[in-house]
Amino acid sequence: MTHARITGTGSYLPEKVLTNFDLEKFVDTSDQWIRERTGIEKRHVAIEGQSTVDLAERAARNAIDSAGIKPQDIDLIVVATTTPDRIFPSTACLLQSRLDVHGCPAFDIQAVCTGFVYALGVAEKFIKSGSSRRALVVGAETLSRLLNWNDRSTCVLFGDGAGAVVLEASEEPGILSTHLHADGDYEALLRVPYGVSQGFEAMDEVNSKIEMRGNEVFKMAVNTLGRIVDETLAANELEKTDIDWLVPHQANIRIIQATARKLKMPMERVVVTVQEHGNTSAASVPLALDTAVRDGRIQRGELLLLEAFGGGFTWGSALLRY
Ligand code: COA
C-alpha cells in the first residue's frame, strides 16, 4: 500500500517584528494583558510590497531543500491561504511559476486556520490514489492585512508567516489518518464580512477586516479540539499515551493547554511557537512542525498529532508517523 510521508519541512517569518510593547504605543493594550490571555509576545508582519506568495516561496524552498529534491520533482502544489495575492490566479499558481514548475495541478484551499490540515488531507488523498508522487503543501498568510488596528480584541492576536512540507509517496507509513470537518452556522462568530461578490463599492475600512466574538470562539475551539482528539485516537485504535508530539494550531496558549490536558500530555511534548508569531492562521501548524523538526525535538518514527480550528467554523486533525 502506498503511504504519504513528510520528507521535508520549511518555514519563513517576515523580518519585521511587532512586539507587544510596540503595540502598546498605538493600541489600548498592554504586554501583560496579551501575554496572560494569549501567550503571544510578538508577531511578524509583512512589509509593504511583501505578499503571501513571497512568504510561501521562502517556506516552500526550505521544505524542498530539506527533502533533498528539486522544485521540478514536485507534481502537485496545494496552498492553504485566506490572504491570497490575487483574486486569481491562485497563490498556488503564482508559487508554481516562482518555482519554475510547469504543468502539475496547483490550487488554493480556503479553510482559514484549518487550511493547512485540510491541504494535507487533500494532498494525502492525491498521493494514496496514485495521482501524485511528490506534493508541496503550503500554509501561507499575510493576515496583518486583515487587521483593524482600532479593534484591540483582534489586532493583537494575529501575524504573518508561512510553513510548508513535501509529502511523498512511500512504502513506509506516514500520514495514518486525517479528519476534516466544518459547520457553516458559525459565521457570525469569526469572519471578514466583505467579499468580492458584494462588489468593490460595498467594501470599507471596517467590513474588510477580521471580526470576532473571542470568548465564544474560545469555548468552541476548546470543546471541538477535545472532540477531534478523541475521534483521531479512536479511528486509529490508539491510546493518549501513544502520541509522542502534539503539534497544535498556534492561536492561544490557553487553548493549546486545554487540548494538552485533554490528551493528558505534559507541555514538554507539545510544540508551542505562538509566543514568537501569534496566530498565523493556515501557516501556524507547519511553522510549529518545522520549528520542532529543525531544533531536533521531533525525530523520525515518532507519532505526531496535528490539529487546528478556525473560521467557518472548520476544524481538523492529522495523525502521522514522522
Ligand atoms: N488589551 C487589553 N484589554 C483587552 C484587549 C486587549 N488587547 N482585548 C480585549 N480587552 C478587554 C475587553 O475589552 C474586556 O474588557 P471589559 O471586561 O472591561 O469589557 C476584557 O479585556 C475581557 O475581554 P474578553 O473578550 O472577555 O477576554 P477573554 O478572556 O475572552 O480573552 C481573547 C480575549 C480574544 C484573548 C480570547 O477570547 C481568545 O483567545 N479567543 C479565541 C480567539 C482565537 O483564538 N481566535 C482564532 C481561532 S482560530
mmCIF file of all heavy atoms in Angstrom, residues 27-30 33-34 37-38 112-114 151-158 190 212-219 221 249-255 279 281 308-311 313-314, ligand 1:
data_model
loop_
_atom_site.group_PDB
_atom_site.id
_atom_site.type_symbol
_atom_site.label_atom_id
_atom_site.label_comp_id
_atom_site.label_asym_id
_atom_site.label_seq_id
_atom_site.Cartn_x
_atom_site.Cartn_y
_atom_site.Cartn_z
ATOM 1 N N VAL A 27 -2.002 50.924 20.395
ATOM 2 C CA VAL A 27 -3.241 50.191 20.688
ATOM 3 C C VAL A 27 -3.456 50.283 22.197
ATOM 4 O O VAL A 27 -2.492 50.252 22.968
ATOM 5 C CB VAL A 27 -3.114 48.696 20.267
ATOM 6 C CG1 VAL A 27 -4.391 47.927 20.593
ATOM 7 C CG2 VAL A 27 -2.779 48.565 18.780
ATOM 8 N N ASP A 28 -4.733 50.402 22.624
ATOM 9 C CA ASP A 28 -5.052 50.492 24.057
ATOM 10 C C ASP A 28 -4.951 49.090 24.667
ATOM 11 O O ASP A 28 -5.954 48.406 24.875
ATOM 12 C CB ASP A 28 -6.464 51.070 24.218
ATOM 13 C CG ASP A 28 -6.863 51.180 25.675
ATOM 14 O OD1 ASP A 28 -5.969 51.110 26.548
ATOM 15 O OD2 ASP A 28 -8.072 51.333 25.943
ATOM 16 N N THR A 29 -3.714 48.649 24.890
ATOM 17 C CA THR A 29 -3.470 47.294 25.382
ATOM 18 C C THR A 29 -2.178 47.288 26.199
ATOM 19 O O THR A 29 -1.538 48.320 26.378
ATOM 20 C CB THR A 29 -3.375 46.309 24.196
ATOM 21 O OG1 THR A 29 -3.392 44.981 24.694
ATOM 22 C CG2 THR A 29 -2.121 46.503 23.354
ATOM 23 N N SER A 30 -1.815 46.115 26.714
ATOM 24 C CA SER A 30 -0.549 46.028 27.450
ATOM 25 C C SER A 30 0.091 44.669 27.192
ATOM 26 O O SER A 30 -0.601 43.687 26.906
ATOM 27 C CB SER A 30 -0.800 46.182 28.955
ATOM 28 O OG SER A 30 -1.531 45.066 29.428
ATOM 29 N N TRP A 33 -1.445 42.065 29.476
ATOM 30 C CA TRP A 33 -2.765 41.543 29.084
ATOM 31 C C TRP A 33 -2.603 40.505 27.973
ATOM 32 O O TRP A 33 -3.152 39.400 28.039
ATOM 33 C CB TRP A 33 -3.702 42.670 28.619
ATOM 34 C CG TRP A 33 -5.141 42.210 28.461
ATOM 35 C CD1 TRP A 33 -6.133 42.327 29.385
ATOM 36 C CD2 TRP A 33 -5.730 41.548 27.325
ATOM 37 N NE1 TRP A 33 -7.306 41.779 28.903
ATOM 38 C CE2 TRP A 33 -7.081 41.295 27.643
ATOM 39 C CE3 TRP A 33 -5.248 41.129 26.086
ATOM 40 C CZ2 TRP A 33 -7.966 40.663 26.756
ATOM 41 C CZ3 TRP A 33 -6.120 40.491 25.206
ATOM 42 C CH2 TRP A 33 -7.456 40.268 25.544
ATOM 43 N N ILE A 34 -1.830 40.859 26.951
ATOM 44 C CA ILE A 34 -1.704 39.963 25.790
ATOM 45 C C ILE A 34 -1.030 38.655 26.207
ATOM 46 O O ILE A 34 -1.478 37.556 25.869
ATOM 47 C CB ILE A 34 -0.890 40.635 24.652
ATOM 48 C CG1 ILE A 34 -1.569 41.934 24.211
ATOM 49 C CG2 ILE A 34 -0.735 39.685 23.469
ATOM 50 C CD1 ILE A 34 -0.744 42.772 23.243
ATOM 51 N N ARG A 37 -3.436 36.506 28.533
ATOM 52 C CA ARG A 37 -4.640 35.944 27.890
ATOM 53 C C ARG A 37 -4.316 35.041 26.711
ATOM 54 O O ARG A 37 -5.137 34.225 26.309
ATOM 55 C CB ARG A 37 -5.564 37.054 27.372
ATOM 56 C CG ARG A 37 -6.031 38.044 28.383
ATOM 57 C CD ARG A 37 -7.057 37.427 29.318
ATOM 58 N NE ARG A 37 -7.430 38.379 30.344
ATOM 59 C CZ ARG A 37 -8.654 38.840 30.523
ATOM 60 N NH1 ARG A 37 -9.635 38.416 29.771
ATOM 61 N NH2 ARG A 37 -8.885 39.703 31.484
ATOM 62 N N THR A 38 -3.139 35.246 26.074
ATOM 63 C CA THR A 38 -2.873 34.528 24.815
ATOM 64 C C THR A 38 -1.519 33.821 24.743
ATOM 65 O O THR A 38 -1.343 32.928 23.916
ATOM 66 C CB THR A 38 -2.911 35.503 23.610
ATOM 67 O OG1 THR A 38 -1.735 36.332 23.652
ATOM 68 C CG2 THR A 38 -4.146 36.387 23.628
ATOM 69 N N VAL A 112 -9.372 28.806 6.326
ATOM 70 C CA VAL A 112 -8.867 29.726 7.344
ATOM 71 C C VAL A 112 -7.807 29.001 8.204
ATOM 72 O O VAL A 112 -6.875 28.430 7.641
ATOM 73 C CB VAL A 112 -10.020 30.360 8.159
ATOM 74 C CG1 VAL A 112 -9.566 31.686 8.796
ATOM 75 C CG2 VAL A 112 -11.226 30.653 7.260
ATOM 76 N N CYS A 113 -7.926 29.001 9.529
ATOM 77 C CA CYS A 113 -6.844 28.461 10.364
ATOM 78 C C CYS A 113 -6.683 26.942 10.224
ATOM 79 O O CYS A 113 -5.648 26.394 10.605
ATOM 80 C CB CYS A 113 -7.063 28.838 11.825
ATOM 81 S SG CYS A 113 -7.049 30.617 12.079
ATOM 82 N N THR A 114 -7.712 26.259 9.695
ATOM 83 C CA THR A 114 -7.587 24.813 9.489
ATOM 84 C C THR A 114 -7.027 24.513 8.097
ATOM 85 O O THR A 114 -6.909 23.348 7.699
ATOM 86 C CB THR A 114 -8.970 24.127 9.668
ATOM 87 O OG1 THR A 114 -9.627 24.718 10.801
ATOM 88 C CG2 THR A 114 -8.835 22.647 9.951
ATOM 89 N N ASP A 151 -9.318 47.799 16.677
ATOM 90 C CA ASP A 151 -10.041 46.759 17.420
ATOM 91 C C ASP A 151 -9.023 45.949 18.240
ATOM 92 O O ASP A 151 -8.422 45.005 17.735
ATOM 93 C CB ASP A 151 -10.817 45.860 16.444
ATOM 94 C CG ASP A 151 -11.531 44.719 17.151
ATOM 95 O OD1 ASP A 151 -11.505 44.666 18.407
ATOM 96 O OD2 ASP A 151 -12.100 43.860 16.454
ATOM 97 N N ARG A 152 -8.863 46.346 19.492
ATOM 98 C CA ARG A 152 -7.809 45.718 20.313
ATOM 99 C C ARG A 152 -8.096 44.250 20.600
ATOM 100 O O ARG A 152 -7.191 43.484 20.972
ATOM 101 C CB ARG A 152 -7.607 46.478 21.620
ATOM 102 C CG ARG A 152 -8.809 46.403 22.558
ATOM 103 C CD ARG A 152 -8.521 47.115 23.857
ATOM 104 N NE ARG A 152 -9.646 46.999 24.765
ATOM 105 C CZ ARG A 152 -9.634 47.406 26.003
ATOM 106 N NH1 ARG A 152 -8.544 47.984 26.486
ATOM 107 N NH2 ARG A 152 -10.682 47.246 26.774
ATOM 108 N N SER A 153 -9.388 43.842 20.451
ATOM 109 C CA SER A 153 -9.715 42.457 20.785
ATOM 110 C C SER A 153 -9.290 41.486 19.676
ATOM 111 O O SER A 153 -9.289 40.271 19.868
ATOM 112 C CB SER A 153 -11.208 42.302 21.077
ATOM 113 O OG SER A 153 -11.954 42.493 19.895
ATOM 114 N N THR A 154 -8.937 42.016 18.492
ATOM 115 C CA THR A 154 -8.436 41.124 17.431
ATOM 116 C C THR A 154 -7.014 41.463 16.975
ATOM 117 O O THR A 154 -6.234 40.565 16.685
ATOM 118 C CB THR A 154 -9.351 41.165 16.180
ATOM 119 O OG1 THR A 154 -9.480 42.535 15.772
ATOM 120 C CG2 THR A 154 -10.718 40.570 16.459
ATOM 121 N N CYS A 155 -6.656 42.753 16.927
ATOM 122 C CA CYS A 155 -5.406 43.116 16.240
ATOM 123 C C CYS A 155 -4.156 42.619 16.953
ATOM 124 O O CYS A 155 -3.102 42.479 16.330
ATOM 125 C CB CYS A 155 -5.332 44.619 15.986
ATOM 126 S SG CYS A 155 -5.009 45.620 17.443
ATOM 127 N N VAL A 156 -4.283 42.306 18.248
ATOM 128 C CA VAL A 156 -3.087 41.852 18.984
ATOM 129 C C VAL A 156 -2.819 40.353 18.759
ATOM 130 O O VAL A 156 -1.776 39.836 19.170
ATOM 131 C CB VAL A 156 -3.234 42.112 20.505
ATOM 132 C CG1 VAL A 156 -3.484 43.586 20.763
ATOM 133 C CG2 VAL A 156 -4.337 41.269 21.127
ATOM 134 N N LEU A 157 -3.783 39.663 18.128
ATOM 135 C CA LEU A 157 -3.726 38.191 18.112
ATOM 136 C C LEU A 157 -3.004 37.588 16.904
ATOM 137 O O LEU A 157 -2.522 36.461 16.981
ATOM 138 C CB LEU A 157 -5.150 37.612 18.134
ATOM 139 C CG LEU A 157 -6.047 38.020 19.306
ATOM 140 C CD1 LEU A 157 -7.446 37.441 19.118
ATOM 141 C CD2 LEU A 157 -5.451 37.552 20.629
ATOM 142 N N PHE A 158 -2.971 38.330 15.784
ATOM 143 C CA PHE A 158 -2.590 37.684 14.518
ATOM 144 C C PHE A 158 -1.251 38.179 13.980
ATOM 145 O O PHE A 158 -0.793 39.262 14.345
ATOM 146 C CB PHE A 158 -3.689 37.925 13.479
ATOM 147 C CG PHE A 158 -5.021 37.309 13.861
ATOM 148 C CD1 PHE A 158 -5.981 38.056 14.538
ATOM 149 C CD2 PHE A 158 -5.292 35.979 13.578
ATOM 150 C CE1 PHE A 158 -7.203 37.496 14.898
ATOM 151 C CE2 PHE A 158 -6.511 35.406 13.930
ATOM 152 C CZ PHE A 158 -7.469 36.158 14.594
ATOM 153 N N LEU A 190 -16.837 34.588 13.766
ATOM 154 C CA LEU A 190 -15.478 34.834 13.278
ATOM 155 C C LEU A 190 -15.528 34.981 11.759
ATOM 156 O O LEU A 190 -15.851 34.023 11.052
ATOM 157 C CB LEU A 190 -14.578 33.640 13.666
ATOM 158 C CG LEU A 190 -13.119 33.659 13.234
ATOM 159 C CD1 LEU A 190 -12.405 34.911 13.700
ATOM 160 C CD2 LEU A 190 -12.397 32.417 13.762
ATOM 161 N N MET A 212 -14.477 39.258 15.396
ATOM 162 C CA MET A 212 -14.519 38.006 16.163
ATOM 163 C C MET A 212 -15.206 38.213 17.495
ATOM 164 O O MET A 212 -14.977 39.222 18.157
ATOM 165 C CB MET A 212 -13.097 37.499 16.391
ATOM 166 C CG MET A 212 -13.052 36.191 17.147
ATOM 167 S SD MET A 212 -11.422 35.490 17.218
ATOM 168 C CE MET A 212 -10.567 36.721 18.154
ATOM 169 N N ARG A 213 -16.025 37.234 17.888
ATOM 170 C CA ARG A 213 -16.534 37.208 19.256
ATOM 171 C C ARG A 213 -15.645 36.219 20.009
ATOM 172 O O ARG A 213 -15.910 35.011 20.071
ATOM 173 C CB ARG A 213 -18.010 36.802 19.252
ATOM 174 C CG ARG A 213 -18.779 37.851 18.475
ATOM 175 C CD ARG A 213 -20.250 38.000 18.593
ATOM 176 N NE ARG A 213 -21.057 36.904 18.975
ATOM 177 C CZ ARG A 213 -22.186 36.529 18.328
ATOM 178 N NH1 ARG A 213 -22.562 37.180 17.228
ATOM 179 N NH2 ARG A 213 -22.922 35.551 18.768
ATOM 180 N N GLY A 214 -14.526 36.781 20.527
ATOM 181 C CA GLY A 214 -13.410 35.976 21.024
ATOM 182 C C GLY A 214 -13.776 34.956 22.080
ATOM 183 O O GLY A 214 -13.325 33.802 22.022
ATOM 184 N N ASN A 215 -14.607 35.395 23.023
ATOM 185 C CA ASN A 215 -14.941 34.499 24.124
ATOM 186 C C ASN A 215 -15.689 33.260 23.646
ATOM 187 O O ASN A 215 -15.399 32.135 24.061
ATOM 188 C CB ASN A 215 -15.803 35.301 25.105
ATOM 189 C CG ASN A 215 -15.553 34.868 26.503
ATOM 190 O OD1 ASN A 215 -16.050 33.817 26.867
ATOM 191 N ND2 ASN A 215 -14.784 35.630 27.254
ATOM 192 N N GLU A 216 -16.650 33.473 22.742
ATOM 193 C CA GLU A 216 -17.418 32.328 22.220
ATOM 194 C C GLU A 216 -16.546 31.432 21.343
ATOM 195 O O GLU A 216 -16.664 30.202 21.371
ATOM 196 C CB GLU A 216 -18.626 32.847 21.428
ATOM 197 C CG GLU A 216 -19.692 33.455 22.326
ATOM 198 C CD GLU A 216 -20.609 34.390 21.571
ATOM 199 O OE1 GLU A 216 -21.547 33.894 20.928
ATOM 200 O OE2 GLU A 216 -20.390 35.616 21.636
ATOM 201 N N VAL A 217 -15.651 32.054 20.548
ATOM 202 C CA VAL A 217 -14.743 31.262 19.714
ATOM 203 C C VAL A 217 -13.851 30.404 20.607
ATOM 204 O O VAL A 217 -13.620 29.223 20.346
ATOM 205 C CB VAL A 217 -13.877 32.176 18.810
ATOM 206 C CG1 VAL A 217 -12.841 31.356 18.049
ATOM 207 C CG2 VAL A 217 -14.753 32.954 17.836
ATOM 208 N N PHE A 218 -13.389 31.005 21.682
ATOM 209 C CA PHE A 218 -12.510 30.300 22.620
ATOM 210 C C PHE A 218 -13.170 29.012 23.115
ATOM 211 O O PHE A 218 -12.592 27.930 23.071
ATOM 212 C CB PHE A 218 -12.192 31.232 23.802
ATOM 213 C CG PHE A 218 -11.176 30.685 24.750
ATOM 214 C CD1 PHE A 218 -9.841 31.030 24.617
ATOM 215 C CD2 PHE A 218 -11.538 29.816 25.767
ATOM 216 C CE1 PHE A 218 -8.888 30.520 25.498
ATOM 217 C CE2 PHE A 218 -10.600 29.306 26.637
ATOM 218 C CZ PHE A 218 -9.272 29.664 26.509
ATOM 219 N N LYS A 219 -14.419 29.147 23.585
ATOM 220 C CA LYS A 219 -15.112 27.965 24.145
ATOM 221 C C LYS A 219 -15.345 26.903 23.081
ATOM 222 O O LYS A 219 -15.143 25.707 23.319
ATOM 223 C CB LYS A 219 -16.460 28.396 24.748
ATOM 224 C CG LYS A 219 -16.289 29.150 26.044
ATOM 225 C CD LYS A 219 -17.638 29.581 26.610
ATOM 226 C CE LYS A 219 -17.438 30.709 27.608
ATOM 227 N NZ LYS A 219 -18.506 31.704 27.568
ATOM 228 N N ALA A 221 -13.599 26.423 20.371
ATOM 229 C CA ALA A 221 -12.308 25.838 19.976
ATOM 230 C C ALA A 221 -11.892 24.768 20.978
ATOM 231 O O ALA A 221 -11.510 23.656 20.595
ATOM 232 C CB ALA A 221 -11.241 26.934 19.878
ATOM 233 N N HIS A 249 -2.579 23.983 16.280
ATOM 234 C CA HIS A 249 -2.731 25.341 15.739
ATOM 235 C C HIS A 249 -2.334 26.326 16.832
ATOM 236 O O HIS A 249 -2.732 26.191 17.988
ATOM 237 C CB HIS A 249 -4.181 25.555 15.319
ATOM 238 C CG HIS A 249 -4.492 26.955 14.921
ATOM 239 N ND1 HIS A 249 -3.659 27.696 14.104
ATOM 240 C CD2 HIS A 249 -5.535 27.778 15.225
ATOM 241 C CE1 HIS A 249 -4.184 28.892 13.929
ATOM 242 N NE2 HIS A 249 -5.317 28.975 14.601
ATOM 243 N N GLN A 250 -1.532 27.321 16.449
ATOM 244 C CA GLN A 250 -0.987 28.267 17.422
ATOM 245 C C GLN A 250 -1.841 29.533 17.455
ATOM 246 O O GLN A 250 -1.534 30.517 16.778
ATOM 247 C CB GLN A 250 0.460 28.612 17.052
ATOM 248 C CG GLN A 250 1.350 27.406 16.800
ATOM 249 C CD GLN A 250 1.742 26.680 18.071
ATOM 250 O OE1 GLN A 250 2.049 27.306 19.076
ATOM 251 N NE2 GLN A 250 1.751 25.355 18.030
ATOM 252 N N ALA A 251 -2.959 29.475 18.195
ATOM 253 C CA ALA A 251 -3.824 30.653 18.301
ATOM 254 C C ALA A 251 -3.689 31.289 19.676
ATOM 255 O O ALA A 251 -3.593 32.509 19.796
ATOM 256 C CB ALA A 251 -5.274 30.278 18.043
ATOM 257 N N ASN A 252 -3.674 30.443 20.699
ATOM 258 C CA ASN A 252 -3.741 30.959 22.061
ATOM 259 C C ASN A 252 -3.201 29.869 22.992
ATOM 260 O O ASN A 252 -3.637 28.721 22.917
ATOM 261 C CB ASN A 252 -5.215 31.265 22.381
ATOM 262 C CG ASN A 252 -5.386 31.858 23.753
ATOM 263 O OD1 ASN A 252 -4.817 31.381 24.726
ATOM 264 N ND2 ASN A 252 -6.188 32.905 23.838
ATOM 265 N N ILE A 253 -2.267 30.212 23.849
ATOM 266 C CA ILE A 253 -1.640 29.216 24.727
ATOM 267 C C ILE A 253 -2.671 28.519 25.605
ATOM 268 O O ILE A 253 -2.546 27.334 25.922
ATOM 269 C CB ILE A 253 -0.502 29.846 25.571
ATOM 270 C CG1 ILE A 253 0.300 28.780 26.330
ATOM 271 C CG2 ILE A 253 -1.048 30.867 26.566
ATOM 272 C CD1 ILE A 253 1.122 27.886 25.467
ATOM 273 N N ARG A 254 -3.749 29.242 25.963
ATOM 274 C CA ARG A 254 -4.751 28.629 26.852
ATOM 275 C C ARG A 254 -5.556 27.562 26.113
ATOM 276 O O ARG A 254 -5.933 26.557 26.700
ATOM 277 C CB ARG A 254 -5.660 29.711 27.445
ATOM 278 C CG ARG A 254 -4.918 30.562 28.492
ATOM 279 C CD ARG A 254 -5.507 31.962 28.610
ATOM 280 N NE ARG A 254 -6.913 31.942 28.916
ATOM 281 C CZ ARG A 254 -7.806 32.830 28.456
ATOM 282 N NH1 ARG A 254 -7.430 33.798 27.632
ATOM 283 N NH2 ARG A 254 -9.052 32.763 28.804
ATOM 284 N N ILE A 255 -5.812 27.766 24.818
ATOM 285 C CA ILE A 255 -6.497 26.726 24.024
ATOM 286 C C ILE A 255 -5.561 25.519 23.880
ATOM 287 O O ILE A 255 -5.976 24.365 24.021
ATOM 288 C CB ILE A 255 -6.914 27.270 22.632
ATOM 289 C CG1 ILE A 255 -7.898 28.430 22.783
ATOM 290 C CG2 ILE A 255 -7.514 26.152 21.767
ATOM 291 C CD1 ILE A 255 -8.303 29.108 21.463
ATOM 292 N N ASN A 279 -1.097 34.235 16.020
ATOM 293 C CA ASN A 279 -1.895 33.339 15.182
ATOM 294 C C ASN A 279 -1.633 33.665 13.708
ATOM 295 O O ASN A 279 -2.054 34.712 13.215
ATOM 296 C CB ASN A 279 -3.374 33.533 15.527
ATOM 297 C CG ASN A 279 -4.275 32.579 14.771
ATOM 298 O OD1 ASN A 279 -3.861 31.948 13.807
ATOM 299 N ND2 ASN A 279 -5.516 32.483 15.210
ATOM 300 N N SER A 281 -2.727 31.758 11.283
ATOM 301 C CA SER A 281 -3.779 31.064 10.544
ATOM 302 C C SER A 281 -3.223 29.799 9.859
ATOM 303 O O SER A 281 -2.634 28.958 10.530
ATOM 304 C CB SER A 281 -4.451 32.037 9.571
ATOM 305 O OG SER A 281 -5.632 31.494 9.050
ATOM 306 N N ALA A 308 -6.198 21.618 14.241
ATOM 307 C CA ALA A 308 -6.473 23.048 14.049
ATOM 308 C C ALA A 308 -7.967 23.319 14.088
ATOM 309 O O ALA A 308 -8.786 22.422 13.858
ATOM 310 C CB ALA A 308 -5.896 23.532 12.721
ATOM 311 N N PHE A 309 -8.274 24.589 14.349
ATOM 312 C CA PHE A 309 -9.650 25.063 14.430
ATOM 313 C C PHE A 309 -9.670 26.480 13.863
ATOM 314 O O PHE A 309 -8.753 27.247 14.121
ATOM 315 C CB PHE A 309 -10.085 25.093 15.902
ATOM 316 C CG PHE A 309 -11.469 25.625 16.114
ATOM 317 C CD1 PHE A 309 -12.557 24.771 16.078
ATOM 318 C CD2 PHE A 309 -11.690 26.980 16.331
ATOM 319 C CE1 PHE A 309 -13.846 25.253 16.255
ATOM 320 C CE2 PHE A 309 -12.982 27.468 16.516
ATOM 321 C CZ PHE A 309 -14.056 26.605 16.479
ATOM 322 N N GLY A 310 -10.698 26.813 13.090
ATOM 323 C CA GLY A 310 -10.707 28.166 12.549
ATOM 324 C C GLY A 310 -12.040 28.596 11.994
ATOM 325 O O GLY A 310 -13.047 27.897 12.132
ATOM 326 N N GLY A 311 -12.017 29.746 11.340
ATOM 327 C CA GLY A 311 -13.229 30.360 10.798
ATOM 328 C C GLY A 311 -13.995 29.394 9.916
ATOM 329 O O GLY A 311 -13.429 28.556 9.224
ATOM 330 N N PHE A 313 -17.312 27.546 11.088
ATOM 331 C CA PHE A 313 -16.079 27.004 11.614
ATOM 332 C C PHE A 313 -15.576 25.819 10.800
ATOM 333 O O PHE A 313 -16.372 25.060 10.257
ATOM 334 C CB PHE A 313 -16.253 26.539 13.067
ATOM 335 C CG PHE A 313 -16.365 27.667 14.058
ATOM 336 C CD1 PHE A 313 -17.314 27.643 15.052
ATOM 337 C CD2 PHE A 313 -15.526 28.757 13.983
ATOM 338 C CE1 PHE A 313 -17.417 28.690 15.964
ATOM 339 C CE2 PHE A 313 -15.616 29.809 14.899
ATOM 340 C CZ PHE A 313 -16.560 29.764 15.885
ATOM 341 N N THR A 314 -14.253 25.668 10.794
ATOM 342 C CA THR A 314 -13.620 24.480 10.247
ATOM 343 C C THR A 314 -12.750 23.901 11.346
ATOM 344 O O THR A 314 -12.270 24.633 12.218
ATOM 345 C CB THR A 314 -12.713 24.844 9.061
ATOM 346 O OG1 THR A 314 -11.783 25.851 9.509
ATOM 347 C CG2 THR A 314 -13.510 25.365 7.888
HETATM 348 N N1 COA B 1 -5.864 44.616 25.660
HETATM 349 C C1 COA B 1 -6.441 44.936 26.821
HETATM 350 N N2 COA B 1 -7.722 44.630 27.112
HETATM 351 C C2 COA B 1 -8.419 43.977 26.182
HETATM 352 C C3 COA B 1 -7.870 43.616 24.935
HETATM 353 C C4 COA B 1 -6.529 43.979 24.702
HETATM 354 N N3 COA B 1 -5.900 43.659 23.543
HETATM 355 N N4 COA B 1 -8.807 42.980 24.213
HETATM 356 C C5 COA B 1 -9.914 42.919 24.975
HETATM 357 N N5 COA B 1 -9.684 43.528 26.146
HETATM 358 C C6 COA B 1 -10.602 43.692 27.274
HETATM 359 C C7 COA B 1 -12.043 43.678 26.868
HETATM 360 O O1 COA B 1 -12.451 44.951 26.436
HETATM 361 C C8 COA B 1 -12.729 43.269 28.159
HETATM 362 O O2 COA B 1 -12.837 44.389 28.976
HETATM 363 P P1 COA B 1 -14.129 44.619 29.893
HETATM 364 O O3 COA B 1 -14.141 43.430 30.847
HETATM 365 O O4 COA B 1 -13.847 45.914 30.546
HETATM 366 O O5 COA B 1 -15.298 44.624 28.950
HETATM 367 C C9 COA B 1 -11.710 42.327 28.805
HETATM 368 O O6 COA B 1 -10.457 42.587 28.156
HETATM 369 C C10 COA B 1 -12.064 40.867 28.699
HETATM 370 O O7 COA B 1 -12.433 40.589 27.364
HETATM 371 P P2 COA B 1 -12.797 39.130 26.926
HETATM 372 O O8 COA B 1 -13.088 39.156 25.461
HETATM 373 O O9 COA B 1 -13.820 38.528 27.839
HETATM 374 O O10 COA B 1 -11.409 38.405 27.215
HETATM 375 P P3 COA B 1 -11.040 36.903 27.069
HETATM 376 O O11 COA B 1 -10.537 36.386 28.345
HETATM 377 O O12 COA B 1 -12.092 36.097 26.354
HETATM 378 O O13 COA B 1 -9.789 36.989 26.093
HETATM 379 C C11 COA B 1 -9.286 36.595 23.785
HETATM 380 C C12 COA B 1 -9.952 37.516 24.799
HETATM 381 C C13 COA B 1 -9.527 37.172 22.400
HETATM 382 C C14 COA B 1 -7.803 36.560 24.061
HETATM 383 C C15 COA B 1 -9.886 35.184 23.912
HETATM 384 O O14 COA B 1 -11.275 35.237 23.918
HETATM 385 C C16 COA B 1 -9.442 34.288 22.811
HETATM 386 O O15 COA B 1 -8.289 33.968 22.677
HETATM 387 N N6 COA B 1 -10.384 33.810 21.991
HETATM 388 C C17 COA B 1 -10.079 32.914 20.910
HETATM 389 C C18 COA B 1 -9.538 33.710 19.793
HETATM 390 C C19 COA B 1 -8.928 32.865 18.747
HETATM 391 O O16 COA B 1 -8.036 32.132 19.023
HETATM 392 N N7 COA B 1 -9.428 33.021 17.533
HETATM 393 C C20 COA B 1 -8.912 32.379 16.397
HETATM 394 C C21 COA B 1 -9.377 30.967 16.367
HETATM 395 S S1 COA B 1 -8.634 30.227 15.013
#
